[in-house]
Amino acid sequence: MAAISSEELQDAWQKVKAMTILPEPPEPKLPSFGPKVSIKSRLHAIQTLITSLEYNYTGTLYFDVNKNRSFKSFANTAKEILKEGLPIQCLEAVFLGAYLTAGFQNLERFPISFKTTAGTSTHRHIVLGVRHQQQKWGALGLSRCDKLMNKDMKFDSLSDLVLDYCHEFRNVYHKVIKVNVGFPLTHDIHSSERVEWRVLNLPVDAKNWAEVAKQLDSFGKDAAEIDSFRKAKGELPAWFGSKYALNAPDTEVGIRSPRAGQRFNSFSDDFDEFEEEVHTQEAAPVQTPTPRVVPKPIVVTPDEFVFKKPSSTALSAPPTNIFLQNTTSSPFLIEIEDNSGLLEIVTKTPSALQEKTQQMEERDEPNLGDPTRATATFQISAKGMIVVAIKYNPHRPRTHKPKSISSPEKSPQSKLIKKGVNGNPTSTFESSAKNDPHHAVSFRCMPMLRATESLADAVPDGETYMLETPFTFKEM
């Protein structure tokens, strides 16, 4: 996905402002079901309605997403969503799915939420798990990523459903650290009982997945019985703690209103960061003295690039998205370079930077003309982020020996910061670049003058940093 420039965004905004009359959003049409319509067809129609509302990218919440309410209150919010027809996010989608499936007495509905990390950021996502007549599992939901939305009713167990979501999170470079499952939701839309969103809270560990899966499946079978006991006695059964030994609930120290302040990890631009479910504040852990870590000005994600390699030369390789985040209050110029002759930078240098890039290359490397080098230059605004697409393309000629990016000829001020490789790779593949020191993508990061507004007039201001990220290939 190519980054959207500020000029393109401003142009689109001016077009919206110039419109004198904006059309009213269409009111969603509720699906109607005959007695012979299968449960799969009904769920498909409900998911189609949820998807038709579209995802809310604005950063403004249009509806009440406070979870500490009764099911009746959630149903009223769902009715409001249907009336207004405005975009929603993952939690509102769960409200809507629970309301529209309330009449399906043979369908159990469980709230399933995920806590994930991507780099140093923490994110939350929630879906509505469904099970029909104690058989197959599926889910309803909404997300920026279509693989993290709904799931067809094809999973034999709750753990299989959760594992599928974990795999999809991994594909977008998120690591699932905890999964939470609540009690089955009531079918009474007038119920004043408070919904229990997180009853089973399991840390996700790939090394101990068998035990995690066992407790997930056991809870899927026992949840209704446990809920009945809780309603009768006012507490969970005494055996709950011993049977679900991995359960590690978050400590709640207060309720934070969704409108009280800015959400964690929210960016002014949308770069496929997944939504955070509004949640209670966690107790701060006891701090122990740690060595001071100097933050990198530019953060490159993921730590290791994996490019898909077609099995046939007749096929074209799909691009891989590389995320670059500027953590400073100064704009940066980023020169991306591959010396291996195996990659192509799909996202092109903006026209405003092309002439400037040529001048910088002639100044720094007047005698180098290596046709195997793939280079492109981009600007990242202060506290901003861009996405650059790169793909496997070995068709460029290789006539010169690649130049090491750590060469002092690059810049007398430059220094090399090597990014570590994740010790737990997300997939198994054969790497043709395993022992080649040149199989890495380099990022030359140049801070720019803050007062400079024109890209063509941008000049370096301060020390240049060099980042290097290794890459490997995965056969398609």
Side-chain angles (χ1 to χ4, degrees):
M1 179 185 69
I4 300 177
S5 67
S6 58
E7 291 81 3
E8 292 173 327
L9 185 61
Q10 186 65 23
D11 181 62
W13 173 237
Q14 292 299 331
K15 290 180 180 179
V16 173
K17 291 173 63 177
M19 299 180 67
T20 57
I21 299 178
L22 292 175
E24 291 289 335
E27 184 173 337
K29 184 178 180 181
L30 290 177
S32 58
F33 308 113
K36 295 184 179 180
V37 178
S38 67
I39 188 65
K40 289 186 178 181
S41 298
R42 297 184 183 195
L43 293 177
H44 177 75
I46 291 173
Q47 180 61 45
T48 300
L49 186 151
I50 294 174
T51 306
S52 69
L53 293 172
E54 299 184 356
Y55 186 83
N56 179 10
Y57 292 93
T58 65
T60 300
L61 298 175
Y62 300 125
F63 307 101
D64 185 2
V65 293
N66 178 18
K67 295 196 303 178
N68 298 300
R69 297 183 286 159
S70 65
F71 190 84
K72 178 181 179 180
S73 183
F74 295 140
N76 290 334
T77 299
K79 294 176 184 178
E80 184 182 356
I81 293 172
L82 293 172
K83 179 181 178 181
E84 298 296 337
L86 294 173
I88 59 176
Q89 294 187 354
C90 63
L91 188 55
E92 295 103 312
V94 170
F95 293 167
L96 192 54
Y99 169 68
L100 294 176
T101 57
F104 305 160
Q105 297 297 325
N106 293 327
L107 186 73
E108 293 179 280
R109 298 112 74 232
F110 293 75
I112 305 173
S113 57
F114 301 87
K115 184 177 182 180
T116 69
T117 58
T120 58
S121 301
T122 301
H123 307 266
R124 292 184 184 271
H125 180 54
I126 188 169
V127 296
L128 183 67
V130 295
R131 177 175 59 173
H132 185 237
Q133 295 181 338
Q134 301 288 322
Q135 296 179 9
K136 298 291 184 179
W137 286 82
L140 299 173
L142 190 65
S143 171
R144 293 188 180 107
C145 176
D146 57 355
K147 298 296 185 180
L148 294 172
M149 293 170 46
N150 62 302
K151 299 291 181 181
D152 293 335
M153 295 185 64
K154 61 181 181 180
F155 299 94
D156 294 327
S157 63
L158 176 58
S159 62
D160 288 343
L161 174 64
V162 170
L163 184 61
D164 187 80
Y165 275 106
C166 291
H167 287 161
E168 297 302 338
F169 272 115
R170 189 173 63 183
N171 289 338
V172 291
Y173 308 109
H174 277 237
K175 179 182 179 181
V176 179
I177 59 176
K178 182 174 283 190
V179 59
N180 310 282
V181 186
F183 280 136
L185 301 179
T186 179
H187 291 85
D188 180 9
I189 62 174
H190 303 291
S191 173
S192 59
E193 292 184 1
R194 181 177 179 270
V195 173
E196 297 295 334
W197 296 92
R198 299 177 186 174
V199 180
L200 185 66
N201 309 271
L202 299 178
V204 176
D205 186 352
K207 298 179 181 179
N208 195 29
W209 174 252
E211 185 62 28
V212 173
K214 179 181 177 181
Q215 296 199 12
L216 280 171
D217 295 337
S218 179
F219 183 79
K221 298 175 182 178
D222 298 341
E225 177 186 347
I226 298 172
D227 191 23
S228 298
F229 184 95
R230 180 191 62 86
K231 291 177 180 178
K233 303 294 184 179
E235 59 183 4
L236 295 176
W239 48 263
F240 184 87
S242 58
K243 185 171 184 178
Y244 300 100
L246 296 180
N247 183 49
D250 295 331
T251 303
E252 298 186 0
V253 296
I255 304 301
R256 185 166 62 93
S257 169
R259 305 180 189 275
Q262 186 178 12
R263 298 184 304 167
F264 294 141
N265 308 318
S266 59
F267 293 92
S268 57
D269 296 319
D270 173 25
F271 295 102
D272 285 343
E273 290 291 338
F274 294 97
E275 61 271 21
E276 272 208 322
E277 160 198 341
V278 177
H279 60 290
T280 55
Q281 183 179 358
E282 298 181 2
V286 178
Q287 298 293 331
T288 57
T290 56
R292 181 176 179 269
V293 178
V294 179
K296 296 182 176 67
I298 301 297
V299 177
V300 181
T301 306
D303 290 338
E304 182 181 29
F305 303 152
V306 179
F307 298 105
K308 293 185 178 180
K309 182 179 180 181
S311 57
S312 171
T313 56
L315 300 176
S316 176
T320 296
N321 285 339
I322 309 302
F323 301 85
L324 294 93
Q325 181 182 356
N326 182 1
T327 63
T328 72
S329 57
S330 299
F332 266 75
L333 278 184
I334 309 295
E335 179 184 304
I336 305 177
E337 180 178 342
D338 164 56
N339 290 315
S340 69
L342 300 175
L343 302 179
E344 174 188 350
I345 302 176
V346 180
T347 306
K348 302 303 180 184
T349 299
S351 57
L353 279 177
Q354 288 180 354
E355 182 178 351
K356 185 67 182 178
T357 302
Q358 292 175 358
Q359 294 175 357
M360 293 170 62
E361 289 180 348
E362 292 174 357
R363 180 195 65 199
D364 294 341
E365 302 166 352
N367 298 321
L368 293 177
D370 191 347
T372 67
R373 294 174 59 214
T375 62
T377 304
F378 304 92
Q379 185 188 43
I380 309 182
S381 59
K383 300 294 184 180
M385 180 184 289
I386 63 171
V387 182
V388 178
I390 304 177
K391 71 175 183 178
Y392 172 76
N393 184 3
H395 303 302
R396 291 183 289 115
R398 183 164 186 154
T399 58
H400 296 268
K401 182 179 179 180
K403 170 181 62 64
S404 173
I405 65 170
S406 60
S407 171
E409 297 177 1
K410 190 75 174 180
S411 171
Q413 294 178 319
S414 66
K415 64 180 180 180
L416 181 64
I417 304 176
K418 288 191 176 181
K419 295 182 69 65
V421 180
N422 188 349
N424 297 314
T426 59
S427 60
T428 303
F429 49 81
E430 293 184 2
S431 171
S432 62
K434 185 174 182 180
N435 298 316
D436 192 330
H438 300 297
H439 282 171
V441 178
S442 63
F443 302 86
R444 187 184 184 192
C445 309
M446 298 164 281
M448 312 309 296
L449 290 173
R450 294 182 180 87
T452 300
E453 296 182 358
S454 173
L455 294 179
D457 297 333
V459 294
D461 176 31
E463 187 175 15
T464 295
Y465 293 87
M466 293 297 299
L467 305 179
E468 183 183 54
T469 302
F471 65 83
T472 51
F473 298 111
K474 179 180 180 181
E475 298 289 344
M476 292 177 58

PDB file of all heavy atoms in Angstrom, residues 328-352:
ATOM      1  N   THR A 328      10.597  11.150  15.981  1.00  0.00           N
ATOM      2  CA  THR A 328      11.117  12.448  16.401  1.00  0.00           C
ATOM      3  C   THR A 328      10.176  13.569  15.980  1.00  0.00           C
ATOM      4  O   THR A 328       9.199  13.358  15.265  1.00  0.00           O
ATOM      5  CB  THR A 328      12.510  12.701  15.792  1.00  0.00           C
ATOM      6  OG1 THR A 328      12.364  12.971  14.383  1.00  0.00           O
ATOM      7  CG2 THR A 328      13.411  11.491  15.976  1.00  0.00           C
ATOM      8  N   SER A 329      10.510  14.781  16.399  1.00  0.00           N
ATOM      9  CA  SER A 329       9.722  15.964  16.050  1.00  0.00           C
ATOM     10  C   SER A 329      10.303  16.694  14.845  1.00  0.00           C
ATOM     11  O   SER A 329       9.967  17.854  14.597  1.00  0.00           O
ATOM     12  CB  SER A 329       9.650  16.916  17.252  1.00  0.00           C
ATOM     13  OG  SER A 329      10.949  17.273  17.689  1.00  0.00           O
ATOM     14  N   SER A 330      11.187  16.031  14.096  1.00  0.00           N
ATOM     15  CA  SER A 330      11.779  16.619  12.896  1.00  0.00           C
ATOM     16  C   SER A 330      11.483  15.733  11.696  1.00  0.00           C
ATOM     17  O   SER A 330      11.453  14.509  11.818  1.00  0.00           O
ATOM     18  CB  SER A 330      13.302  16.762  13.053  1.00  0.00           C
ATOM     19  OG  SER A 330      13.629  17.603  14.132  1.00  0.00           O
ATOM     20  N   PRO A 331      11.271  16.324  10.517  1.00  0.00           N
ATOM     21  CA  PRO A 331      11.069  15.506   9.317  1.00  0.00           C
ATOM     22  C   PRO A 331      12.363  14.808   8.909  1.00  0.00           C
ATOM     23  O   PRO A 331      13.462  15.275   9.230  1.00  0.00           O
ATOM     24  CB  PRO A 331      10.618  16.525   8.266  1.00  0.00           C
ATOM     25  CG  PRO A 331      11.187  17.825   8.740  1.00  0.00           C
ATOM     26  CD  PRO A 331      11.178  17.765  10.239  1.00  0.00           C
ATOM     27  N   PHE A 332      12.231  13.695   8.207  1.00  0.00           N
ATOM     28  CA  PHE A 332      13.389  12.922   7.758  1.00  0.00           C
ATOM     29  C   PHE A 332      13.258  12.618   6.271  1.00  0.00           C
ATOM     30  O   PHE A 332      12.149  12.436   5.756  1.00  0.00           O
ATOM     31  CB  PHE A 332      13.476  11.591   8.518  1.00  0.00           C
ATOM     32  CG  PHE A 332      14.366  11.626   9.730  1.00  0.00           C
ATOM     33  CD1 PHE A 332      13.958  12.256  10.888  1.00  0.00           C
ATOM     34  CD2 PHE A 332      15.616  11.025   9.712  1.00  0.00           C
ATOM     35  CE1 PHE A 332      14.766  12.282  12.010  1.00  0.00           C
ATOM     36  CE2 PHE A 332      16.436  11.048  10.822  1.00  0.00           C
ATOM     37  CZ  PHE A 332      16.017  11.676  11.977  1.00  0.00           C
ATOM     38  N   LEU A 333      14.404  12.570   5.602  1.00  0.00           N
ATOM     39  CA  LEU A 333      14.487  11.975   4.271  1.00  0.00           C
ATOM     40  C   LEU A 333      15.037  10.566   4.441  1.00  0.00           C
ATOM     41  O   LEU A 333      16.039  10.362   5.134  1.00  0.00           O
ATOM     42  CB  LEU A 333      15.405  12.781   3.355  1.00  0.00           C
ATOM     43  CG  LEU A 333      14.822  14.017   2.662  1.00  0.00           C
ATOM     44  CD1 LEU A 333      15.857  14.609   1.718  1.00  0.00           C
ATOM     45  CD2 LEU A 333      13.557  13.677   1.901  1.00  0.00           C
ATOM     46  N   ILE A 334      14.382   9.598   3.823  1.00  0.00           N
ATOM     47  CA  ILE A 334      14.797   8.202   3.930  1.00  0.00           C
ATOM     48  C   ILE A 334      15.175   7.701   2.543  1.00  0.00           C
ATOM     49  O   ILE A 334      14.339   7.682   1.633  1.00  0.00           O
ATOM     50  CB  ILE A 334      13.682   7.316   4.508  1.00  0.00           C
ATOM     51  CG1 ILE A 334      13.143   7.915   5.807  1.00  0.00           C
ATOM     52  CG2 ILE A 334      14.186   5.896   4.722  1.00  0.00           C
ATOM     53  CD1 ILE A 334      14.139   7.964   6.934  1.00  0.00           C
ATOM     54  N   GLU A 335      16.423   7.308   2.381  1.00  0.00           N
ATOM     55  CA  GLU A 335      16.873   6.714   1.122  1.00  0.00           C
ATOM     56  C   GLU A 335      16.935   5.200   1.313  1.00  0.00           C
ATOM     57  O   GLU A 335      17.717   4.693   2.112  1.00  0.00           O
ATOM     58  CB  GLU A 335      18.242   7.254   0.724  1.00  0.00           C
ATOM     59  CG  GLU A 335      18.770   6.647  -0.578  1.00  0.00           C
ATOM     60  CD  GLU A 335      20.174   7.118  -0.898  1.00  0.00           C
ATOM     61  OE1 GLU A 335      20.379   8.340  -0.982  1.00  0.00           O
ATOM     62  OE2 GLU A 335      21.064   6.263  -1.038  1.00  0.00           O
ATOM     63  N   ILE A 336      16.079   4.500   0.590  1.00  0.00           N
ATOM     64  CA  ILE A 336      16.016   3.038   0.678  1.00  0.00           C
ATOM     65  C   ILE A 336      16.842   2.451  -0.456  1.00  0.00           C
ATOM     66  O   ILE A 336      16.728   2.874  -1.603  1.00  0.00           O
ATOM     67  CB  ILE A 336      14.559   2.548   0.593  1.00  0.00           C
ATOM     68  CG1 ILE A 336      13.711   3.234   1.671  1.00  0.00           C
ATOM     69  CG2 ILE A 336      14.488   1.036   0.739  1.00  0.00           C
ATOM     70  CD1 ILE A 336      12.248   2.874   1.609  1.00  0.00           C
ATOM     71  N   GLU A 337      17.667   1.450  -0.126  1.00  0.00           N
ATOM     72  CA  GLU A 337      18.576   0.905  -1.128  1.00  0.00           C
ATOM     73  C   GLU A 337      18.718  -0.604  -0.970  1.00  0.00           C
ATOM     74  O   GLU A 337      18.805  -1.122   0.145  1.00  0.00           O
ATOM     75  CB  GLU A 337      19.943   1.573  -0.991  1.00  0.00           C
ATOM     76  CG  GLU A 337      20.986   1.075  -1.981  1.00  0.00           C
ATOM     77  CD  GLU A 337      22.310   1.802  -1.827  1.00  0.00           C
ATOM     78  OE1 GLU A 337      22.323   2.884  -1.208  1.00  0.00           O
ATOM     79  OE2 GLU A 337      23.328   1.285  -2.309  1.00  0.00           O
ATOM     80  N   ASP A 338      18.702  -1.300  -2.106  1.00  0.00           N
ATOM     81  CA  ASP A 338      18.989  -2.739  -2.143  1.00  0.00           C
ATOM     82  C   ASP A 338      20.124  -2.969  -3.126  1.00  0.00           C
ATOM     83  O   ASP A 338      20.043  -2.576  -4.290  1.00  0.00           O
ATOM     84  CB  ASP A 338      17.755  -3.533  -2.582  1.00  0.00           C
ATOM     85  CG  ASP A 338      18.129  -4.949  -2.998  1.00  0.00           C
ATOM     86  OD1 ASP A 338      18.737  -5.656  -2.173  1.00  0.00           O
ATOM     87  OD2 ASP A 338      17.838  -5.331  -4.155  1.00  0.00           O
ATOM     88  N   ASN A 339      21.198  -3.599  -2.658  1.00  0.00           N
ATOM     89  CA  ASN A 339      22.369  -3.857  -3.495  1.00  0.00           C
ATOM     90  C   ASN A 339      22.409  -5.268  -4.055  1.00  0.00           C
ATOM     91  O   ASN A 339      23.320  -5.607  -4.802  1.00  0.00           O
ATOM     92  CB  ASN A 339      23.648  -3.609  -2.684  1.00  0.00           C
ATOM     93  CG  ASN A 339      23.866  -2.141  -2.397  1.00  0.00           C
ATOM     94  OD1 ASN A 339      23.722  -1.315  -3.290  1.00  0.00           O
ATOM     95  ND2 ASN A 339      24.188  -1.809  -1.160  1.00  0.00           N
ATOM     96  N   SER A 340      21.448  -6.108  -3.681  1.00  0.00           N
ATOM     97  CA  SER A 340      21.534  -7.521  -4.051  1.00  0.00           C
ATOM     98  C   SER A 340      21.172  -7.778  -5.507  1.00  0.00           C
ATOM     99  O   SER A 340      21.536  -8.810  -6.064  1.00  0.00           O
ATOM    100  CB  SER A 340      20.607  -8.343  -3.148  1.00  0.00           C
ATOM    101  OG  SER A 340      19.246  -8.048  -3.433  1.00  0.00           O
ATOM    102  N   GLY A 341      20.424  -6.877  -6.126  1.00  0.00           N
ATOM    103  CA  GLY A 341      19.943  -7.120  -7.475  1.00  0.00           C
ATOM    104  C   GLY A 341      18.754  -8.051  -7.523  1.00  0.00           C
ATOM    105  O   GLY A 341      18.370  -8.515  -8.595  1.00  0.00           O
ATOM    106  N   LEU A 342      18.143  -8.338  -6.362  1.00  0.00           N
ATOM    107  CA  LEU A 342      17.033  -9.287  -6.298  1.00  0.00           C
ATOM    108  C   LEU A 342      15.695  -8.624  -6.015  1.00  0.00           C
ATOM    109  O   LEU A 342      14.658  -9.284  -6.106  1.00  0.00           O
ATOM    110  CB  LEU A 342      17.305 -10.338  -5.215  1.00  0.00           C
ATOM    111  CG  LEU A 342      18.569 -11.184  -5.391  1.00  0.00           C
ATOM    112  CD1 LEU A 342      18.753 -12.090  -4.188  1.00  0.00           C
ATOM    113  CD2 LEU A 342      18.492 -12.005  -6.671  1.00  0.00           C
ATOM    114  N   LEU A 343      15.704  -7.347  -5.662  1.00  0.00           N
ATOM    115  CA  LEU A 343      14.473  -6.693  -5.232  1.00  0.00           C
ATOM    116  C   LEU A 343      14.139  -5.499  -6.114  1.00  0.00           C
ATOM    117  O   LEU A 343      15.013  -4.915  -6.760  1.00  0.00           O
ATOM    118  CB  LEU A 343      14.593  -6.225  -3.778  1.00  0.00           C
ATOM    119  CG  LEU A 343      14.907  -7.289  -2.728  1.00  0.00           C
ATOM    120  CD1 LEU A 343      15.008  -6.647  -1.356  1.00  0.00           C
ATOM    121  CD2 LEU A 343      13.858  -8.389  -2.729  1.00  0.00           C
ATOM    122  N   GLU A 344      12.870  -5.160  -6.112  1.00  0.00           N
ATOM    123  CA  GLU A 344      12.382  -3.960  -6.789  1.00  0.00           C
ATOM    124  C   GLU A 344      11.551  -3.149  -5.803  1.00  0.00           C
ATOM    125  O   GLU A 344      10.677  -3.696  -5.122  1.00  0.00           O
ATOM    126  CB  GLU A 344      11.513  -4.327  -7.994  1.00  0.00           C
ATOM    127  CG  GLU A 344      10.864  -3.118  -8.661  1.00  0.00           C
ATOM    128  CD  GLU A 344       9.853  -3.506  -9.727  1.00  0.00           C
ATOM    129  OE1 GLU A 344       9.787  -4.701 -10.076  1.00  0.00           O
ATOM    130  OE2 GLU A 344       9.124  -2.611 -10.192  1.00  0.00           O
ATOM    131  N   ILE A 345      11.838  -1.868  -5.696  1.00  0.00           N
ATOM    132  CA  ILE A 345      11.057  -0.980  -4.840  1.00  0.00           C
ATOM    133  C   ILE A 345       9.857  -0.507  -5.654  1.00  0.00           C
ATOM    134  O   ILE A 345       9.991   0.309  -6.567  1.00  0.00           O
ATOM    135  CB  ILE A 345      11.900   0.203  -4.342  1.00  0.00           C
ATOM    136  CG1 ILE A 345      13.132  -0.315  -3.580  1.00  0.00           C
ATOM    137  CG2 ILE A 345      11.072   1.120  -3.450  1.00  0.00           C
ATOM    138  CD1 ILE A 345      14.084   0.770  -3.128  1.00  0.00           C
ATOM    139  N   VAL A 346       8.694  -1.051  -5.329  1.00  0.00           N
ATOM    140  CA  VAL A 346       7.489  -0.791  -6.116  1.00  0.00           C
ATOM    141  C   VAL A 346       7.009   0.645  -5.924  1.00  0.00           C
ATOM    142  O   VAL A 346       6.643   1.327  -6.876  1.00  0.00           O
ATOM    143  CB  VAL A 346       6.377  -1.785  -5.735  1.00  0.00           C
ATOM    144  CG1 VAL A 346       5.118  -1.518  -6.552  1.00  0.00           C
ATOM    145  CG2 VAL A 346       6.859  -3.217  -5.947  1.00  0.00           C
ATOM    146  N   THR A 347       7.005   1.106  -4.683  1.00  0.00           N
ATOM    147  CA  THR A 347       6.599   2.488  -4.408  1.00  0.00           C
ATOM    148  C   THR A 347       7.678   3.430  -4.926  1.00  0.00           C
ATOM    149  O   THR A 347       8.840   3.323  -4.540  1.00  0.00           O
ATOM    150  CB  THR A 347       6.392   2.705  -2.905  1.00  0.00           C
ATOM    151  OG1 THR A 347       5.480   1.715  -2.413  1.00  0.00           O
ATOM    152  CG2 THR A 347       5.824   4.082  -2.627  1.00  0.00           C
ATOM    153  N   LYS A 348       7.305   4.334  -5.792  1.00  0.00           N
ATOM    154  CA  LYS A 348       8.275   5.192  -6.452  1.00  0.00           C
ATOM    155  C   LYS A 348       8.522   6.481  -5.671  1.00  0.00           C
ATOM    156  O   LYS A 348       7.673   6.948  -4.915  1.00  0.00           O
ATOM    157  CB  LYS A 348       7.803   5.538  -7.872  1.00  0.00           C
ATOM    158  CG  LYS A 348       7.557   4.309  -8.742  1.00  0.00           C
ATOM    159  CD  LYS A 348       8.803   3.429  -8.834  1.00  0.00           C
ATOM    160  CE  LYS A 348       8.555   2.208  -9.707  1.00  0.00           C
ATOM    161  NZ  LYS A 348       9.727   1.290  -9.720  1.00  0.00           N
ATOM    162  N   THR A 349       9.712   7.046  -5.897  1.00  0.00           N
ATOM    163  CA  THR A 349      10.061   8.324  -5.285  1.00  0.00           C
ATOM    164  C   THR A 349       9.126   9.413  -5.792  1.00  0.00           C
ATOM    165  O   THR A 349       8.896   9.520  -7.003  1.00  0.00           O
ATOM    166  CB  THR A 349      11.510   8.698  -5.628  1.00  0.00           C
ATOM    167  OG1 THR A 349      12.389   7.690  -5.114  1.00  0.00           O
ATOM    168  CG2 THR A 349      11.883  10.047  -5.026  1.00  0.00           C
ATOM    169  N   PRO A 350       8.539  10.235  -4.903  1.00  0.00           N
ATOM    170  CA  PRO A 350       7.690  11.344  -5.360  1.00  0.00           C
ATOM    171  C   PRO A 350       8.450  12.255  -6.307  1.00  0.00           C
ATOM    172  O   PRO A 350       9.660  12.460  -6.173  1.00  0.00           O
ATOM    173  CB  PRO A 350       7.319  12.065  -4.054  1.00  0.00           C
ATOM    174  CG  PRO A 350       7.466  11.024  -2.992  1.00  0.00           C
ATOM    175  CD  PRO A 350       8.594  10.144  -3.438  1.00  0.00           C
ATOM    176  N   SER A 351       7.736  12.811  -7.286  1.00  0.00           N
ATOM    177  CA  SER A 351       8.371  13.636  -8.311  1.00  0.00           C
ATOM    178  C   SER A 351       9.118  14.819  -7.712  1.00  0.00           C
ATOM    179  O   SER A 351      10.151  15.242  -8.222  1.00  0.00           O
ATOM    180  CB  SER A 351       7.314  14.128  -9.304  1.00  0.00           C
ATOM    181  OG  SER A 351       6.288  14.841  -8.625  1.00  0.00           O
ATOM    182  N   ALA A 352       8.605  15.363  -6.607  1.00  0.00           N
ATOM    183  CA  ALA A 352       9.253  16.517  -5.987  1.00  0.00           C
ATOM    184  C   ALA A 352      10.617  16.174  -5.413  1.00  0.00           C
ATOM    185  O   ALA A 352      11.451  17.053  -5.191  1.00  0.00           O
ATOM    186  CB  ALA A 352       8.359  17.090  -4.889  1.00  0.00           C
TER     187      ALA A 352
END
